């Protein structure tokens, strides 16, 4: 057996075709290294600077809310929190208990509310490049369970992702939603990629497929991105840092759907074009952050986060639909939210936090 292995290794090294392939790969890798390409991120976060940093989608709330957090450890990260909500128009439960645990390799998070609805996340970092993320939701009612698993591989100049939503083979065939994406840096500023989706709700139905294309260009102090979806939708975004504490963003979404009448469409029908443009800005002050955005439908939103004490933060959110507001409908179209967040660390945790900031340990795989 040992002689056969040596012979096989010698064949792989002395074979002319294998040598040519190896030399070509080495030359290609050296040229990629010479370009100085960086990792472009993931397809899901191609417009992260606009959608998640400037806009209010992940921060907007209504009603009254109070969050009480008790950290027990910094390294590893471990804390519990209690969230209370009242008068929320987003359907937030009156009470939610949450706990979080994180190390450089493991991240665990769980939430359970007063109605018994549970949601949890479990992430594991296999290597510096490969991370697996799972997300599960369980509700008391039938048909309300959800399970999702993501695998992200982060290379030097590319990112490959594979995710599955409610995967199953229990019905005698493959069902669920499966999405794979790839984003590659072409130049130090330009990255292009694609996303492919395959889904089947049941074994007795045919699968549906879709392909989307994305591009991202990064300038000195600005980032532009575009995405073309298989359904005929086009999404573009633009982010720019005006000063050290001021960021602005713009997003344009166009939908092309078959309409009634007109020319150029199928069987005499035309294309109905719908679009929405959103503009937003973010201001970072010394102890507060202000976000504001307005879209082409007349919806104006703002959010102010103010840290009044080192471990106490107040948040005020407001939204007004200007095109629908009247004397009788202002109560339905105007939304207001007020929240207070309190953390209760001790002196030992403050020392741990200072030590963690000075160390070079990687953060948990959020």
């Amino acid at each position: 057996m040992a002689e056969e292995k040596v012979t096989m290794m010698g064949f792989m090294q002395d074979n002319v075709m294998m040598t040519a392939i190896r030399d070509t790969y080495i030359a290609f890798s050296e040229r990629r290294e010479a370009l100085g390409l960086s990792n472009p991120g993931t397809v899901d976060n191609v417009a992260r600077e606009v959608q998640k940093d400037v806009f209010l989608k992940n921060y907007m709330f209504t009603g009254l809310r109070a969050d009480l957090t008790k950290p027990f450890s910094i390294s590893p990260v471990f804390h519990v929190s209690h969230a209370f909500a009242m008068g929320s128009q987003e359907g937030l439960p009156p009470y939610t208990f949450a706990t979080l645990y994180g190390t450089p390799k493991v991240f665990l998070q769980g939430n359970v509310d007063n109605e018994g609805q549970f949601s949890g996340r479990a992430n594991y970092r296999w290597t510096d490049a490969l991370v697996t993320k799972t997300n599960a939701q369980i509700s008391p009612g039938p048909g309300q369970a959800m399970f999702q698993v993501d695998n992200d591989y982060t290379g030097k100049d590319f990112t490959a992702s594979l995710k599955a939503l409610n995967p199953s083979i229990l019905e005698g065939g493959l069902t669920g939603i499966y999405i794979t994406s790839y984003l590659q840096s072409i130049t130090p500023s330009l990255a292009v990629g694609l996303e492919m989706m395959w889904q089947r709700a049941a074994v007795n139905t045919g699968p549906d497929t879709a392909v989307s294309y994305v591009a991202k260009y990064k300038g000195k102090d600005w980032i532009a991105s575009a995405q073309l979806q298989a359904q005929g939708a086009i999404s573009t975004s633009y982010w720019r840092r005006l000063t050290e504490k001021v960021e602005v963003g713009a997003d344009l979404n166009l939908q092309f759907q078959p309409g009634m009448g007109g020319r150029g469409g199928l069987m005499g029908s035309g294309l109905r074009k719908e679009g929405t443009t959103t503009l937003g800005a973010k201001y970072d002050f010394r102890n507060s952050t202000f976000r504001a955005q307005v879209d082409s439908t007349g919806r104006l939103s703002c959010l102010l986060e103010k840290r009044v004490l080192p471990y106490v933060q107040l948040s005020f959110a407001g939204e007004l639909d200007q095109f629908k507001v009247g004397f009788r409908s202002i109560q339905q179209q105007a939304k207001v939210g007020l929240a207070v967040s309190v953390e209760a660390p001790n002196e030992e945790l403050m020392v741990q936090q200072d030590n963690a900031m000075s160390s070079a340990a990687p953060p948990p795989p959020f």
Side-chain angles (χ1 to χ4, degrees):
M1 290 294 297
E3 293 181 357
E4 292 181 359
K5 292 183 179 180
V6 172
T7 303
M8 181 61 67
M9 291 297 298
F11 172 78
M12 297 290 292
Q13 295 178 358
D14 300 335
N15 184 271
V16 177
M17 182 177 296
M18 296 302 300
T19 302
I21 295 176
R22 184 178 67 252
D23 294 342
T24 302
Y25 176 78
I26 293 175
F28 179 73
S29 300
E30 291 177 351
R31 292 184 179 181
R32 288 175 62 180
E33 290 286 346
L35 291 175
L37 303 179
S38 60
N39 183 270
T42 62
V43 172
D44 291 340
N45 294 327
V46 69
R48 178 184 60 84
E49 291 79 9
V50 175
Q51 298 292 342
K52 297 184 178 182
D53 293 344
V54 176
F55 286 176
L56 280 69
K57 181 179 180 180
N58 297 326
Y59 305 94
M60 192 64 191
F61 66 96
T62 57
L64 300 177
R65 197 181 72 187
D67 299 327
L68 307 178
T69 303
K70 174 61 178 179
F72 291 93
S73 175
I74 300 297
S75 181
V77 178
F78 177 65
H79 67 242
V80 299
S81 62
H82 307 267
F84 303 88
M86 183 176 63
S88 173
Q89 299 184 18
E90 289 83 15
L92 292 178
Y95 172 74
T96 302
F97 173 79
T99 181
L100 183 148
Y101 175 83
T103 67
K105 281 188 171 294
V106 178
F107 174 75
L108 301 174
Q109 183 181 21
N111 304 328
V112 61
D113 61 23
N114 58 290
E115 298 180 354
Q117 297 182 356
F118 171 81
S119 63
R121 297 170 56 196
N123 304 344
Y124 187 80
R125 178 181 282 119
W126 302 94
T127 65
D128 292 340
L130 180 61
V131 176
T132 298
K133 303 177 181 180
T134 60
N135 187 359
Q137 296 181 7
I138 302 175
S139 300
Q144 301 295 327
M146 187 276 293
F147 177 74
Q148 178 178 334
V149 56
D150 300 1
N151 294 279
D152 296 333
Y153 185 87
T154 305
K156 292 183 178 180
D157 55 6
F158 72 93
T159 299
S161 301
L162 176 63
K163 66 176 61 176
L165 180 62
N166 289 338
S168 176
I169 57 174
L170 300 179
E171 300 180 9
L174 188 63
T175 59
I177 302 175
Y178 303 86
I179 302 174
T180 179
S181 61
Y182 183 85
L183 190 60
Q184 172 71 57
S185 293
I186 303 299
T187 68
S189 300
L190 177 64
V192 297
L194 57 84
E195 182 180 74
M196 296 178 290
M197 182 194 68
W198 185 94
Q199 66 174 352
R200 184 164 64 174
V203 178
N204 55 1
T205 62
D208 296 326
T209 60
V211 180
S212 302
Y213 304 92
V214 299
K216 181 178 181 180
Y217 190 89
K218 184 176 182 179
K220 182 179 179 181
D221 54 3
W222 60 274
I223 298 175
S225 64
Q227 184 171 5
L228 174 62
Q229 300 179 0
Q231 297 84 358
I234 299 176
S235 177
T236 61
S237 65
Y238 178 80
W239 172 88
R240 188 178 186 90
R241 182 181 296 277
L242 299 181
T243 66
E244 183 179 356
K245 298 183 178 181
V246 180
E247 304 174 19
V248 296
D251 183 83
L252 172 64
N253 288 294
L254 295 177
Q255 296 280 348
F256 298 93
Q257 300 177 355
M260 301 301 295
R263 296 181 179 180
L266 185 62
M267 299 183 64
S269 63
L271 286 177
R272 183 179 60 187
K273 293 173 287 186
E274 299 179 356
T276 304
T277 302
T278 306
L279 303 176
K282 174 186 175 184
Y283 298 84
D284 288 324
F285 300 99
R286 182 177 180 181
N287 294 319
S288 61
T289 300
F290 177 75
R291 292 179 174 89
Q293 73 177 49
V294 60
D295 59 30
S296 56
T297 64
R299 183 172 299 174
L300 176 64
S301 308
C302 65
L303 174 71
L304 175 63
E305 298 173 317
K306 173 70 174 180
R307 187 164 294 278
V308 295
L309 293 174
Y311 300 105
V312 179
Q313 177 176 290
L314 295 178
S315 301
F316 173 80
E319 183 177 286
L320 183 64
D321 198 333
Q322 301 182 76
F323 292 170
K324 297 182 180 180
V325 168
F327 290 104
R328 298 181 179 179
S329 62
I330 186 171
Q331 294 182 353
Q332 288 78 15
Q333 303 304 331
K335 301 178 181 179
V336 178
L338 179 63
V340 57
S341 301
V342 180
E343 296 182 4
N346 51 36
E347 297 182 359
E348 182 180 355
L349 289 179
M350 298 175 63
V351 175
Q352 292 184 12
Q353 184 176 5
D354 295 338
N355 295 334
M357 295 178 60
S358 60
S359 64
F366 295 110

